[in-house]
Amino acid sequence: MGLARVLDYTQPLPDHMKGTFDVVFDCHGGLTSREEDFLTKRSVLAVDIDPTFGNLIRSLISSRHSFVRGVLSTSILQKIVDLATAGQFTIPIKRTAPLSEAIALISDLEAGNRLPGKSVIVMG
């Protein structure tokens, strides 16, 4: 399994990434169909989660584009918070880094330097 990459949506897509991805999840909703096609290999899938009219139409007319919809639920999120607060929902955290060191942490993870457990970027 390859490494996941996060792209800065405010920057142009790097030329070296053309056709390198098996799947593209557009979590921000900022990629055009052309950009998703640029990033993905010829026979693979792009998945949009942003509920725009364009994304819905694209998923209906293109076999390379899919649309996934979810429901935001504060009650479900609150249950997760309650379980974590009660110590019943534990996630092993092995590494933390302040936001100022986030790029170094992500680069290190992409290079394969991983520990069992999660790495967390601490905000503020």
Side-chain angles (χ1 to χ4, degrees), residues 43-86:
S43 61
V44 296
L45 183 65
V47 180
D48 293 298
I49 65 168
D50 187 36
T52 65
F53 181 74
N55 287 343
L56 178 60
I57 295 300
R58 187 172 26 189
S59 69
L60 292 173
I61 62 174
S62 171
S63 62
R64 292 191 63 209
H65 297 272
S66 184
F67 180 74
V68 177
R69 184 181 77 82
V71 177
L72 295 176
S73 169
T74 54
S75 64
I76 291 173
L77 292 175
Q78 187 59 55
K79 288 177 185 175
I80 293 169
V81 169
D82 293 343
L83 288 169
T85 303

Side-chain angles (χ1 to χ4, degrees), residues 35 39 55 61 64 67 84 86-89 97 100 105 108 116 122:
E35 289 170 328
L39 291 169
N55 287 343
I61 62 174
R64 292 191 63 209
F67 180 74
Q88 297 174 351
F89 179 67
S100 61
L105 171 64
D108 200 35
V122 180

